[in-house]
Amino acid sequence: MKNKMRFIIPKLIGATLIVGLLTFVLGLLFKLLIMCTFLGTAIMLIAAKLRNRKSRKVLHGHRSAISPDPQTESYTAVRPQSVDVQSNFAIIPIH
């Protein structure tokens, strides 16, 4: 019995060490993959926000305020009416 214990215990200790090291390496690899996933997600979110900000600046960059000066309003879409409009409109029936 004593010879069997001397034969089994070193192998059991060696197997335990190997399994422990493999578990440590697999855990480290899993943690590394999780960290890379979170880091990649954060980078993608930041890039998307910067891309959206840039596209909003491009779309809204050429807007200007409407001013009362008619000379500066030649580039805006809305202009104030400077002449009186006729108020006697009539409905003309079509036969």
Side-chain angles (χ1 to χ4, degrees):
M1 185 75 174
K2 193 173 187 181
N3 288 336
K4 286 184 181 179
M5 291 300 271
R6 285 185 185 169
F7 182 71
I8 292 175
I9 288 182
K11 288 185 178 182
L12 191 62
I13 290 173
T16 304
L17 287 175
I18 289 173
V19 169
L21 285 174
L22 286 175
T23 305
F24 177 73
V25 169
L26 287 175
L28 194 62
L29 183 65
F30 180 72
K31 288 176 186 177
L32 184 66
L33 287 173
I34 292 282
M35 186 176 61
C36 287
T37 303
F38 286 144
L39 189 64
T41 305
I43 289 172
M44 288 175 64
L45 286 174
I46 290 170
K49 285 190 180 242
L50 290 176
R51 198 176 322 122
N52 286 341
R53 183 180 298 169
K54 185 178 178 182
S55 67
R56 270 191 248 133
K57 282 183 181 179
V58 169
L59 289 176
H60 303 298
H62 298 293
R63 289 188 180 176
S64 61
I66 298 174
S67 68
D69 186 17
Q71 294 172 348
T72 59
E73 289 188 24
S74 61
Y75 299 109
T76 59
V78 179
R79 296 182 189 171
Q81 187 68 31
S82 60
V83 295
D84 291 332
V85 179
Q86 285 182 337
S87 61
N88 55 358
F89 291 111
I91 297 174
I92 303 171
I94 299 175
H95 296 290

